[in-house]
Amino acid sequence: MLAVSEVIRNDRLAQIYTRVLELDSPTVEELAEDVESSTTTVYEDVKRLVELRLLERVTETQPHRYQASSVDLTVQAGGETVQITPTLLVALAERQSNENINLYIDRHGVSGLATAIEYARAYTQSKMNARIMARGQDIPVLEAETILQELQEIILEAEPDISASLDIEELDSTVDDRMGE
């Protein structure tokens, strides 16, 4: 848990973890091309992520290649439960370049972002909309729609098993069931 906490607090570590997820077994040199840090700093950050067991070295010969370890952790703090997943870490890494995500975190914290990701999964699968999230989180609909759209892109990249297609038959069945009530 301390490992994930360190990554949540350090945007650069979150960015490197995210890039390893995206590149699938990159070398430090490949990571350094995409991160705004020196190769030496990236080496140090990769070493730290390996120590934290969030990255693992997958080759014995040089240059070493790394893979991201799976993260799925539930944390309870202050009466709140937060699901920490690779998607959350990717969203945190986007904070530096995405002002909508940054603003959402400033307003609602990391736990609020984790909750928004849960809504965004359902939104991506066309199982809910921004009005439902806005009502559930007591936020303006525009704010909900904005963060859902930002997170939808992240979810589609970080969770390729999530389908963004609309299942019309399932939707019709749900409507029919509700109409029969």
Short mmCIF file of all heavy atoms in Angstrom, two decimals, residues 21-76:
data_model
loop_
_atom_site.label_atom_id
_atom_site.label_comp_id
_atom_site.label_asym_id
_atom_site.label_seq_id
_atom_site.Cartn_x
_atom_site.Cartn_y
_atom_site.Cartn_z
N LEU A 21 2.97 0.53 -18.89
CA LEU A 21 1.72 -0.14 -19.28
C LEU A 21 1.45 0.01 -20.78
O LEU A 21 1.08 -0.94 -21.45
CB LEU A 21 0.53 0.47 -18.51
CG LEU A 21 0.30 0.02 -17.09
CD1 LEU A 21 -0.80 0.86 -16.45
CD2 LEU A 21 -0.06 -1.45 -17.02
N GLU A 22 1.66 1.21 -21.28
CA GLU A 22 1.36 1.51 -22.69
C GLU A 22 2.33 0.82 -23.64
O GLU A 22 1.93 0.33 -24.69
CB GLU A 22 1.41 3.02 -22.94
CG GLU A 22 0.29 3.77 -22.27
CD GLU A 22 0.48 5.28 -22.33
OE1 GLU A 22 1.54 5.75 -22.81
OE2 GLU A 22 -0.42 6.00 -21.87
N LEU A 23 3.61 0.79 -23.29
CA LEU A 23 4.64 0.30 -24.22
C LEU A 23 4.88 -1.20 -24.13
O LEU A 23 5.51 -1.76 -25.03
CB LEU A 23 5.96 1.06 -23.98
CG LEU A 23 5.91 2.55 -24.27
CD1 LEU A 23 7.23 3.21 -23.87
CD2 LEU A 23 5.61 2.81 -25.73
N ASP A 24 4.45 -1.85 -23.08
CA ASP A 24 4.59 -3.29 -22.94
C ASP A 24 6.05 -3.73 -23.06
O ASP A 24 6.55 -4.04 -24.14
CB ASP A 24 3.72 -4.03 -23.97
CG ASP A 24 3.68 -5.53 -23.70
OD1 ASP A 24 3.66 -5.91 -22.52
OD2 ASP A 24 3.69 -6.31 -24.67
N SER A 25 6.75 -3.72 -21.97
CA SER A 25 8.14 -4.16 -21.83
C SER A 25 9.16 -3.21 -22.45
O SER A 25 10.03 -3.63 -23.21
CB SER A 25 8.34 -5.56 -22.44
OG SER A 25 7.42 -6.47 -21.93
N PRO A 26 9.11 -1.94 -22.11
CA PRO A 26 10.11 -1.01 -22.65
C PRO A 26 11.42 -1.06 -21.88
O PRO A 26 11.48 -1.58 -20.76
CB PRO A 26 9.44 0.35 -22.45
CG PRO A 26 8.65 0.16 -21.19
CD PRO A 26 8.13 -1.26 -21.27
N THR A 27 12.44 -0.49 -22.50
CA THR A 27 13.72 -0.28 -21.82
C THR A 27 13.66 1.11 -21.17
O THR A 27 12.78 1.91 -21.48
CB THR A 27 14.89 -0.32 -22.81
OG1 THR A 27 14.73 0.78 -23.73
CG2 THR A 27 14.95 -1.64 -23.56
N VAL A 28 14.63 1.39 -20.31
CA VAL A 28 14.69 2.72 -19.70
C VAL A 28 14.89 3.79 -20.78
O VAL A 28 14.29 4.86 -20.72
CB VAL A 28 15.80 2.78 -18.63
CG1 VAL A 28 16.04 4.21 -18.16
CG2 VAL A 28 15.45 1.88 -17.46
N GLU A 29 15.70 3.47 -21.77
CA GLU A 29 15.94 4.44 -22.85
C GLU A 29 14.65 4.76 -23.60
O GLU A 29 14.39 5.91 -23.95
CB GLU A 29 17.00 3.91 -23.83
CG GLU A 29 18.40 3.86 -23.26
CD GLU A 29 18.66 2.64 -22.34
OE1 GLU A 29 17.85 1.69 -22.33
OE2 GLU A 29 19.66 2.69 -21.60
N GLU A 30 13.83 3.75 -23.84
CA GLU A 30 12.54 3.98 -24.51
C GLU A 30 11.62 4.83 -23.64
O GLU A 30 10.91 5.70 -24.14
CB GLU A 30 11.87 2.65 -24.85
CG GLU A 30 12.59 1.88 -25.94
CD GLU A 30 12.11 0.44 -26.10
OE1 GLU A 30 11.43 -0.09 -25.20
OE2 GLU A 30 12.45 -0.15 -27.13
N LEU A 31 11.66 4.60 -22.34
CA LEU A 31 10.86 5.41 -21.43
C LEU A 31 11.34 6.86 -21.40
O LEU A 31 10.53 7.78 -21.37
CB LEU A 31 10.91 4.83 -20.01
CG LEU A 31 10.18 3.51 -19.80
CD1 LEU A 31 10.54 2.93 -18.44
CD2 LEU A 31 8.69 3.70 -19.93
N ALA A 32 12.65 7.05 -21.40
CA ALA A 32 13.22 8.39 -21.32
C ALA A 32 12.86 9.24 -22.53
O ALA A 32 12.79 10.47 -22.43
CB ALA A 32 14.73 8.31 -21.16
N GLU A 33 12.59 8.61 -23.67
CA GLU A 33 12.19 9.35 -24.87
C GLU A 33 10.86 10.07 -24.68
O GLU A 33 10.63 11.12 -25.26
CB GLU A 33 12.08 8.40 -26.07
CG GLU A 33 13.37 7.82 -26.54
CD GLU A 33 13.16 6.76 -27.61
OE1 GLU A 33 12.02 6.58 -28.10
OE2 GLU A 33 14.15 6.08 -27.96
N ASP A 34 9.98 9.49 -23.87
CA ASP A 34 8.63 10.01 -23.73
C ASP A 34 8.39 10.81 -22.45
O ASP A 34 7.33 11.40 -22.29
CB ASP A 34 7.62 8.85 -23.77
CG ASP A 34 7.65 8.11 -25.09
OD1 ASP A 34 7.86 8.76 -26.13
OD2 ASP A 34 7.48 6.88 -25.08
N VAL A 35 9.33 10.79 -21.53
CA VAL A 35 9.15 11.46 -20.25
C VAL A 35 10.07 12.68 -20.23
O VAL A 35 11.19 12.63 -20.69
CB VAL A 35 9.51 10.50 -19.08
CG1 VAL A 35 9.37 11.18 -17.74
CG2 VAL A 35 8.62 9.26 -19.14
N GLU A 36 9.56 13.77 -19.67
CA GLU A 36 10.34 15.00 -19.63
C GLU A 36 11.32 14.99 -18.46
O GLU A 36 11.27 15.85 -17.59
CB GLU A 36 9.41 16.20 -19.56
CG GLU A 36 8.58 16.39 -20.82
CD GLU A 36 7.67 17.59 -20.74
OE1 GLU A 36 7.93 18.49 -19.92
OE2 GLU A 36 6.70 17.63 -21.51
N SER A 37 12.18 14.00 -18.44
CA SER A 37 13.22 13.87 -17.41
C SER A 37 14.46 13.30 -18.07
O SER A 37 14.39 12.68 -19.13
CB SER A 37 12.77 12.93 -16.29
OG SER A 37 11.68 13.44 -15.60
N SER A 38 15.58 13.46 -17.41
CA SER A 38 16.83 12.91 -17.95
C SER A 38 16.80 11.39 -17.85
O SER A 38 16.06 10.82 -17.05
CB SER A 38 18.02 13.46 -17.17
OG SER A 38 18.03 12.91 -15.87
N THR A 39 17.63 10.74 -18.65
CA THR A 39 17.72 9.29 -18.61
C THR A 39 18.15 8.83 -17.22
O THR A 39 17.65 7.82 -16.71
CB THR A 39 18.70 8.78 -19.69
OG1 THR A 39 18.26 9.25 -20.96
CG2 THR A 39 18.78 7.27 -19.71
N THR A 40 19.04 9.56 -16.59
CA THR A 40 19.50 9.22 -15.24
C THR A 40 18.33 9.23 -14.26
O THR A 40 18.18 8.32 -13.44
CB THR A 40 20.60 10.19 -14.77
OG1 THR A 40 21.67 10.17 -15.71
CG2 THR A 40 21.11 9.85 -13.39
N THR A 41 17.49 10.26 -14.35
CA THR A 41 16.32 10.35 -13.47
C THR A 41 15.36 9.21 -13.74
O THR A 41 14.81 8.61 -12.81
CB THR A 41 15.62 11.71 -13.66
OG1 THR A 41 16.55 12.76 -13.36
CG2 THR A 41 14.40 11.83 -12.76
N VAL A 42 15.16 8.87 -15.02
CA VAL A 42 14.27 7.76 -15.36
C VAL A 42 14.83 6.45 -14.81
O VAL A 42 14.08 5.63 -14.27
CB VAL A 42 14.01 7.69 -16.88
CG1 VAL A 42 13.20 6.46 -17.25
CG2 VAL A 42 13.31 8.96 -17.36
N TYR A 43 16.15 6.25 -14.91
CA TYR A 43 16.77 5.06 -14.32
C TYR A 43 16.47 4.98 -12.82
O TYR A 43 16.10 3.93 -12.30
CB TYR A 43 18.29 5.06 -14.52
CG TYR A 43 18.77 4.33 -15.74
CD1 TYR A 43 19.27 5.03 -16.83
CD2 TYR A 43 18.73 2.94 -15.82
CE1 TYR A 43 19.72 4.38 -17.97
CE2 TYR A 43 19.17 2.27 -16.94
CZ TYR A 43 19.66 3.00 -18.02
OH TYR A 43 20.10 2.33 -19.13
N GLU A 44 16.64 6.10 -12.12
CA GLU A 44 16.39 6.14 -10.68
C GLU A 44 14.92 5.84 -10.38
O GLU A 44 14.60 5.11 -9.44
CB GLU A 44 16.79 7.50 -10.11
CG GLU A 44 18.29 7.73 -10.12
CD GLU A 44 18.67 9.17 -9.77
OE1 GLU A 44 17.77 9.98 -9.45
OE2 GLU A 44 19.86 9.48 -9.84
N ASP A 45 14.02 6.43 -11.18
CA ASP A 45 12.59 6.20 -10.96
C ASP A 45 12.20 4.75 -11.25
O ASP A 45 11.42 4.16 -10.50
CB ASP A 45 11.76 7.14 -11.84
CG ASP A 45 11.86 8.59 -11.38
OD1 ASP A 45 12.27 8.84 -10.23
OD2 ASP A 45 11.51 9.48 -12.18
N VAL A 46 12.76 4.17 -12.29
CA VAL A 46 12.48 2.76 -12.60
C VAL A 46 13.00 1.88 -11.47
O VAL A 46 12.31 0.95 -11.02
CB VAL A 46 13.07 2.35 -13.97
CG1 VAL A 46 13.09 0.84 -14.14
CG2 VAL A 46 12.30 3.02 -15.10
N LYS A 47 14.20 2.18 -10.99
CA LYS A 47 14.76 1.42 -9.86
C LYS A 47 13.83 1.51 -8.66
O LYS A 47 13.56 0.50 -7.99
CB LYS A 47 16.15 1.96 -9.51
CG LYS A 47 16.80 1.24 -8.36
CD LYS A 47 18.16 1.83 -8.04
CE LYS A 47 18.74 1.15 -6.80
NZ LYS A 47 19.94 1.81 -6.33
N ARG A 48 13.31 2.69 -8.39
CA ARG A 48 12.39 2.87 -7.25
C ARG A 48 11.11 2.08 -7.47
O ARG A 48 10.60 1.43 -6.55
CB ARG A 48 12.08 4.36 -7.04
CG ARG A 48 11.19 4.62 -5.86
CD ARG A 48 11.89 4.26 -4.57
NE ARG A 48 10.96 4.41 -3.45
CZ ARG A 48 10.92 3.58 -2.43
NH1 ARG A 48 11.75 2.57 -2.33
NH2 ARG A 48 10.05 3.76 -1.48
N LEU A 49 10.56 2.10 -8.68
CA LEU A 49 9.33 1.36 -8.97
C LEU A 49 9.56 -0.16 -8.87
O LEU A 49 8.65 -0.89 -8.47
CB LEU A 49 8.79 1.75 -10.35
CG LEU A 49 8.16 3.15 -10.42
CD1 LEU A 49 7.97 3.57 -11.87
CD2 LEU A 49 6.86 3.20 -9.65
N VAL A 50 10.76 -0.61 -9.22
CA VAL A 50 11.09 -2.03 -9.06
C VAL A 50 11.15 -2.36 -7.57
O VAL A 50 10.62 -3.38 -7.12
CB VAL A 50 12.41 -2.39 -9.78
CG1 VAL A 50 12.90 -3.78 -9.38
CG2 VAL A 50 12.23 -2.30 -11.29
N GLU A 51 11.79 -1.50 -6.78
CA GLU A 51 11.87 -1.71 -5.32
C GLU A 51 10.47 -1.76 -4.71
O GLU A 51 10.22 -2.52 -3.78
CB GLU A 51 12.67 -0.58 -4.65
CG GLU A 51 14.15 -0.62 -4.94
CD GLU A 51 14.86 0.65 -4.48
OE1 GLU A 51 14.21 1.60 -3.98
OE2 GLU A 51 16.10 0.70 -4.65
N LEU A 52 9.55 -0.94 -5.24
CA LEU A 52 8.18 -0.90 -4.74
C LEU A 52 7.33 -2.05 -5.28
O LEU A 52 6.17 -2.19 -4.91
CB LEU A 52 7.53 0.44 -5.12
CG LEU A 52 8.13 1.69 -4.47
CD1 LEU A 52 7.56 2.94 -5.11
CD2 LEU A 52 7.89 1.68 -2.97
N ARG A 53 7.94 -2.83 -6.18
CA ARG A 53 7.29 -3.99 -6.81
C ARG A 53 6.12 -3.60 -7.72
O ARG A 53 5.20 -4.37 -7.94
CB ARG A 53 6.85 -5.01 -5.77
CG ARG A 53 8.00 -5.60 -5.03
CD ARG A 53 7.57 -6.67 -4.11
NE ARG A 53 8.76 -7.21 -3.43
CZ ARG A 53 8.72 -8.06 -2.47
NH1 ARG A 53 7.58 -8.53 -2.04
NH2 ARG A 53 9.82 -8.50 -1.91
N LEU A 54 6.18 -2.38 -8.25
CA LEU A 54 5.19 -1.95 -9.23
C LEU A 54 5.67 -2.20 -10.65
O LEU A 54 4.88 -2.23 -11.58
CB LEU A 54 4.84 -0.48 -9.02
CG LEU A 54 4.08 -0.20 -7.72
CD1 LEU A 54 3.92 1.29 -7.50
CD2 LEU A 54 2.74 -0.90 -7.71
N LEU A 55 6.99 -2.35 -10.79
CA LEU A 55 7.58 -2.77 -12.06
C LEU A 55 8.44 -3.98 -11.78
O LEU A 55 8.98 -4.13 -10.69
CB LEU A 55 8.47 -1.68 -12.67
CG LEU A 55 7.84 -0.38 -13.15
CD1 LEU A 55 8.90 0.51 -13.77
CD2 LEU A 55 6.72 -0.63 -14.12
N GLU A 56 8.56 -4.82 -12.79
CA GLU A 56 9.48 -5.95 -12.67
C GLU A 56 10.33 -6.04 -13.92
O GLU A 56 9.87 -5.77 -15.03
CB GLU A 56 8.73 -7.25 -12.41
CG GLU A 56 7.75 -7.65 -13.48
CD GLU A 56 7.00 -8.92 -13.13
OE1 GLU A 56 7.60 -10.00 -13.24
OE2 GLU A 56 5.83 -8.80 -12.74
N ARG A 57 11.58 -6.40 -13.71
CA ARG A 57 12.51 -6.58 -14.83
C ARG A 57 12.19 -7.94 -15.45
O ARG A 57 12.11 -8.94 -14.76
CB ARG A 57 13.94 -6.52 -14.34
CG ARG A 57 14.93 -6.47 -15.48
CD ARG A 57 16.30 -6.17 -15.03
NE ARG A 57 16.71 -7.07 -13.95
CZ ARG A 57 17.78 -6.88 -13.21
NH1 ARG A 57 18.54 -5.83 -13.38
NH2 ARG A 57 18.11 -7.73 -12.26
N VAL A 58 12.01 -7.95 -16.78
CA VAL A 58 11.61 -9.19 -17.45
C VAL A 58 12.71 -9.78 -18.33
O VAL A 58 12.52 -10.83 -18.92
CB VAL A 58 10.30 -9.00 -18.27
CG1 VAL A 58 9.14 -8.72 -17.36
CG2 VAL A 58 10.46 -7.92 -19.32
N THR A 59 13.87 -9.11 -18.40
CA THR A 59 15.00 -9.65 -19.14
C THR A 59 16.23 -9.61 -18.24
O THR A 59 16.35 -8.74 -17.39
CB THR A 59 15.30 -8.84 -20.42
OG1 THR A 59 15.56 -7.49 -20.06
CG2 THR A 59 14.15 -8.93 -21.41
N GLU A 60 17.12 -10.56 -18.46
CA GLU A 60 18.37 -10.59 -17.68
C GLU A 60 19.50 -9.88 -18.41
O GLU A 60 20.45 -9.43 -17.79
CB GLU A 60 18.77 -12.05 -17.38
CG GLU A 60 17.81 -12.75 -16.45
CD GLU A 60 17.66 -12.04 -15.10
OE1 GLU A 60 18.67 -11.56 -14.55
OE2 GLU A 60 16.52 -11.95 -14.62
N THR A 61 19.40 -9.80 -19.73
CA THR A 61 20.45 -9.13 -20.51
C THR A 61 20.13 -7.65 -20.65
O THR A 61 18.97 -7.24 -20.57
CB THR A 61 20.57 -9.78 -21.90
OG1 THR A 61 19.32 -9.66 -22.58
CG2 THR A 61 20.96 -11.24 -21.79
N GLN A 62 21.17 -6.89 -20.90
CA GLN A 62 20.99 -5.45 -21.08
C GLN A 62 20.70 -5.13 -22.53
O GLN A 62 21.18 -5.84 -23.40
CB GLN A 62 22.23 -4.72 -20.59
CG GLN A 62 22.42 -4.93 -19.13
CD GLN A 62 22.88 -3.67 -18.42
OE1 GLN A 62 22.96 -2.61 -19.00
NE2 GLN A 62 23.16 -3.81 -17.15
N PRO A 63 19.94 -4.15 -22.88
CA PRO A 63 19.21 -3.30 -21.94
C PRO A 63 18.02 -4.04 -21.33
O PRO A 63 17.33 -4.80 -22.01
CB PRO A 63 18.73 -2.14 -22.81
CG PRO A 63 18.61 -2.70 -24.18
CD PRO A 63 19.66 -3.76 -24.28
N HIS A 64 17.82 -3.82 -20.04
CA HIS A 64 16.74 -4.50 -19.34
C HIS A 64 15.38 -3.98 -19.81
O HIS A 64 15.24 -2.81 -20.15
CB HIS A 64 16.86 -4.30 -17.83
CG HIS A 64 18.09 -4.91 -17.26
ND1 HIS A 64 18.32 -6.27 -17.25
CD2 HIS A 64 19.18 -4.35 -16.68
CE1 HIS A 64 19.48 -6.52 -16.69
NE2 HIS A 64 20.04 -5.36 -16.33
N ARG A 65 14.42 -4.86 -19.84
CA ARG A 65 13.04 -4.50 -20.18
C ARG A 65 12.19 -4.68 -18.93
O ARG A 65 12.48 -5.53 -18.10
CB ARG A 65 12.52 -5.36 -21.32
CG ARG A 65 13.29 -5.10 -22.62
CD ARG A 65 12.58 -5.65 -23.84
NE ARG A 65 13.18 -5.09 -25.04
CZ ARG A 65 12.89 -3.91 -25.57
NH1 ARG A 65 11.96 -3.17 -25.04
NH2 ARG A 65 13.48 -3.48 -26.66
N TYR A 66 11.14 -3.87 -18.84
CA TYR A 66 10.31 -3.85 -17.63
C TYR A 66 8.84 -4.00 -17.99
O TYR A 66 8.40 -3.56 -19.05
CB TYR A 66 10.52 -2.53 -16.87
CG TYR A 66 11.94 -2.38 -16.40
CD1 TYR A 66 12.91 -1.80 -17.22
CD2 TYR A 66 12.33 -2.85 -15.15
CE1 TYR A 66 14.23 -1.69 -16.79
CE2 TYR A 66 13.65 -2.74 -14.72
CZ TYR A 66 14.59 -2.15 -15.55
OH TYR A 66 15.88 -2.05 -15.13
N GLN A 67 8.11 -4.61 -17.07
CA GLN A 67 6.65 -4.72 -17.19
C GLN A 67 6.03 -4.18 -15.91
O GLN A 67 6.62 -4.29 -14.83
CB GLN A 67 6.20 -6.16 -17.39
CG GLN A 67 6.43 -6.67 -18.79
CD GLN A 67 5.84 -8.07 -18.97
OE1 GLN A 67 5.73 -8.84 -18.03
NE2 GLN A 67 5.51 -8.37 -20.21
N ALA A 68 4.82 -3.65 -16.05
CA ALA A 68 4.10 -3.14 -14.90
C ALA A 68 3.42 -4.29 -14.17
O ALA A 68 2.84 -5.17 -14.80
CB ALA A 68 3.07 -2.11 -15.35
N SER A 69 3.51 -4.26 -12.87
CA SER A 69 2.79 -5.25 -12.05
C SER A 69 1.34 -4.81 -11.97
O SER A 69 1.02 -3.62 -12.00
CB SER A 69 3.37 -5.31 -10.65
OG SER A 69 4.73 -5.67 -10.71
N SER A 70 0.46 -5.77 -11.83
CA SER A 70 -0.95 -5.46 -11.71
C SER A 70 -1.22 -4.83 -10.35
O SER A 70 -0.70 -5.28 -9.33
CB SER A 70 -1.77 -6.74 -11.86
OG SER A 70 -3.13 -6.46 -11.73
N VAL A 71 -2.01 -3.79 -10.35
CA VAL A 71 -2.38 -3.11 -9.12
C VAL A 71 -3.89 -3.15 -9.00
O VAL A 71 -4.60 -2.73 -9.89
CB VAL A 71 -1.90 -1.63 -9.12
CG1 VAL A 71 -2.38 -0.91 -7.88
CG2 VAL A 71 -0.41 -1.55 -9.27
N ASP A 72 -4.36 -3.68 -7.92
CA ASP A 72 -5.79 -3.67 -7.62
C ASP A 72 -5.91 -3.72 -6.11
O ASP A 72 -5.77 -4.77 -5.50
CB ASP A 72 -6.52 -4.85 -8.27
CG ASP A 72 -8.04 -4.69 -8.18
OD1 ASP A 72 -8.51 -3.64 -7.71
OD2 ASP A 72 -8.73 -5.64 -8.57
N LEU A 73 -6.12 -2.56 -5.53
CA LEU A 73 -6.06 -2.42 -4.10
C LEU A 73 -7.26 -1.61 -3.63
O LEU A 73 -7.60 -0.60 -4.24
CB LEU A 73 -4.76 -1.69 -3.74
CG LEU A 73 -4.43 -1.37 -2.31
CD1 LEU A 73 -4.20 -2.66 -1.53
CD2 LEU A 73 -3.18 -0.50 -2.25
N THR A 74 -7.88 -2.04 -2.58
CA THR A 74 -8.98 -1.29 -1.98
C THR A 74 -8.46 -0.70 -0.68
O THR A 74 -7.93 -1.42 0.18
CB THR A 74 -10.19 -2.20 -1.71
OG1 THR A 74 -10.58 -2.79 -2.94
CG2 THR A 74 -11.34 -1.40 -1.14
N VAL A 75 -8.62 0.61 -0.55
CA VAL A 75 -8.13 1.31 0.64
C VAL A 75 -9.31 1.98 1.32
O VAL A 75 -10.12 2.63 0.66
CB VAL A 75 -7.08 2.38 0.24
CG1 VAL A 75 -6.60 3.15 1.45
CG2 VAL A 75 -5.91 1.75 -0.49
N GLN A 76 -9.37 1.82 2.63
CA GLN A 76 -10.39 2.51 3.41
C GLN A 76 -9.69 3.52 4.30
O GLN A 76 -8.79 3.18 5.05
CB GLN A 76 -11.18 1.53 4.26
CG GLN A 76 -12.12 0.68 3.43
CD GLN A 76 -13.01 -0.18 4.30
OE1 GLN A 76 -12.53 -0.83 5.22
NE2 GLN A 76 -14.29 -0.15 4.01
#
